[in-house]
Amino acid sequence: MPLRWQEVAVPLAVILGLIILKYIPATAYLPLGRTAGIVSFAYAMFLALRLVQREDPGAMDGRWSELRASPVELFGAIVSGGFSALLLLAVIVNGSTADLPYGQMALGMALSISFALCAAGIVYFSILDKTRWDGKGVEHTTPRGQAIKLAWSEITHVRTTWRGITLFGTTGRISFSPFHSGAAALVKLAKDKIRRNASLAARAFTA
């Protein structure tokens, strides 16, 4: 499976940022060097999972196909949560055993919260939401239980970015993670349906 440039640039930027923070006095007490090593190891595991990730959608009841959270997304949520816990533990231990300035403790807490929010975002937007489709159209259910349905005939275009994929229809839109297993298959099917709809419309107009 080809890698997107963001999947290479983002981890390298995180590792470089951690190394730079290690040499700043305000953040030198944090286990940033160790965290950078863990990030490097985690990225190696990410690459292994990404390269073996299957693109086939899941099957439901012989009628529906559905997107499923990939190993990459599950691994990302676990690793981000682990980094958050590690930094929080470092702040608590160093805060109780050393007389650290409040600014350093606040910065450590901010980094811990950032990793926690990253883990929560992956769980909320990539794992808890559900997207499935059949011969009639696509259905999307948000983590809050809101259901959105689009018939194939009303989908007008597809927008793909590194942050997500969106199907635009005349009555709404459906967004999902590009890392889902089956996302590429759904995008290809949607584009095929759009071309077919455009061809049928052109024939009807010229008839």
Side-chain angles (χ1 to χ4, degrees), residues 24-190:
I24 297 177
T27 58
Y29 77 96
L30 293 173
L32 298 175
R34 184 180 304 173
T35 303
I38 295 174
V39 171
S40 300
F41 178 72
Y43 184 54
M45 295 184 66
F46 166 84
L47 290 177
L49 292 171
R50 187 73 174 89
L51 293 174
V52 301
Q53 176 180 334
R54 297 184 60 184
E55 291 300 319
D56 299 331
M60 296 176 56
D61 304 328
R63 172 191 171 190
W64 295 95
S65 298
E66 69 170 350
L67 299 181
R68 292 181 177 176
S70 67
V72 168
E73 294 169 314
L74 298 174
F75 181 72
I78 294 173
V79 170
S80 297
F83 288 160
S84 175
L86 178 64
L87 289 172
L88 179 60
L89 180 62
V91 170
I92 294 175
V93 172
N94 285 278
S96 60
T97 59
D99 188 15
L100 294 177
Y102 288 111
Q104 293 183 0
M105 296 183 64
L107 182 57
M109 287 295 297
L111 290 174
S112 177
I113 293 173
S114 297
F115 278 115
L117 290 175
C118 181
I122 294 174
V123 172
Y124 186 85
F125 293 106
S126 298
I127 297 177
L128 295 181
D129 67 337
K130 304 296 180 182
T131 302
R132 63 178 188 172
W133 66 95
D134 62 0
K136 298 179 180 179
V138 187
E139 295 185 2
H140 177 76
T141 304
T142 66
R144 295 182 178 180
Q146 180 183 3
I148 303 172
K149 299 181 180 181
L150 294 178
W152 292 120
S153 59
E154 64 176 294
I155 296 178
T156 57
H157 66 283
V158 179
R159 184 177 66 189
T160 302
T161 66
W162 71 276
R163 295 177 299 175
I165 299 171
T166 303
L167 307 180
F168 290 88
T170 55
T171 60
R173 62 183 182 179
I174 291 175
S175 299
F176 52 90
S177 169
F179 297 106
H180 277 330
S181 296
L186 177 54
V187 169
K188 182 178 182 299
L189 178 60

